[in-house]
């Protein structure tokens, strides 16, 4: 990442902006928690919890490649606090859905990350 295209916002402020914005881009019955990644100042940790009886929890790493683009990686999927097989169709569909919502949130926050 070159200096001109780097993030111009602190990691804590970025996490707070994501925490305010992401709930508006995911399903209204789901919940999200966004925290700074302590190991990398360009990265956020995003946990999305599904509503209803499924009780899935998806942990993502969201790393800024530049001020506009994020790289989203799935860290773990849990159900009732236990890791589950991520290869099932329903889990893969949810992962794709949440990844899309995370990218939408990054686009929404472009004015903040590029300020």
């Amino acid at each position: 990442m070159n200096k001109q295209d780097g993030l111009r916002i602190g990691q804590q402020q970025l996490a707070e902006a994501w925490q305010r914005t992401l709930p508006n881009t995911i399903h209204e019955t789901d919940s999200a928690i966004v925290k700074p990644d302590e190991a990398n100042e360009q990265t956020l940790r995003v946990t999305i919890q599904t509503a209803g009886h499924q009780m899935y929890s998806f942990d993502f790493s969201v790393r800024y490649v530049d001020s506009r683009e994020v790289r989203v990686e799935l860290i773990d999927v849990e159900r009732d606090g236990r890791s589950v097989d991520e290869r099932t169709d329903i889990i893969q569909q949810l992962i794709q859905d949440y990844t899309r919502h995370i990218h939408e949130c990054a686009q929404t926050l472009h004015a903040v990350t590029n300020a």
Side-chain angles (χ1 to χ4, degrees), residues 6 17 21-22 24 32 40 43 53 55 57-58 61 84 88 90 102:
T21 307
L22 187 58
N24 298 325
N40 185 336
T43 304
H53 66 280
M55 295 183 59
S57 175
F58 295 80
S61 170
V84 297
T88 65
I90 182 97
I102 289 169

Side-chain angles (χ1 to χ4, degrees), residues 83-114:
S83 289
V84 297
D85 184 356
E86 301 152 10
R87 297 169 295 187
T88 65
D89 287 343
I90 182 97
I91 299 287
Q92 285 298 310
Q93 194 171 7
L94 287 167
I95 291 168
Q96 289 176 0
D97 196 32
Y98 290 132
T99 299
R100 189 178 75 250
H101 292 309
I102 289 169
H103 281 286
E104 288 171 7
C105 184
Q107 286 180 337
T108 301
L109 289 170
H110 182 240
V112 172
T113 59
N114 201 28

Side-chain angles (χ1 to χ4, degrees), residues 7-110:
L7 289 176
R8 294 179 179 91
I9 182 175
Q11 188 184 34
Q12 185 62 43
Q13 293 92 342
L14 184 62
E16 290 167 4
W18 272 78
Q19 185 64 58
R20 286 190 305 271
T21 307
L22 187 58
N24 298 325
T25 63
I26 61 175
H27 304 289
E28 64 182 57
T29 53
D30 294 342
S31 63
I33 299 169
V34 182
K35 296 181 179 176
D37 184 318
E38 294 176 10
N40 185 336
E41 66 182 31
Q42 302 294 323
T43 304
L44 300 172
R45 293 294 184 155
V46 175
T47 300
I48 299 176
Q49 296 174 325
T50 61
H53 66 280
Q54 302 275 348
M55 295 183 59
Y56 287 115
S57 175
F58 295 80
D59 291 321
F60 294 94
S61 170
V62 179
R63 183 173 65 85
Y64 273 84
V65 178
D66 59 33
S67 65
R68 296 175 308 280
E69 184 183 349
V70 293
R71 179 165 294 131
V72 179
E73 288 184 44
L74 177 72
I75 304 298
D76 190 29
V77 180
E78 294 181 350
R79 183 176 185 179
D80 290 328
R82 293 190 196 99
S83 289
V84 297
D85 184 356
E86 301 152 10
R87 297 169 295 187
T88 65
D89 287 343
I90 182 97
I91 299 287
Q92 285 298 310
Q93 194 171 7
L94 287 167
I95 291 168
Q96 289 176 0
D97 196 32
Y98 290 132
T99 299
R100 189 178 75 250
H101 292 309
I102 289 169
H103 281 286
E104 288 171 7
C105 184
Q107 286 180 337
T108 301
L109 289 170
H110 182 240

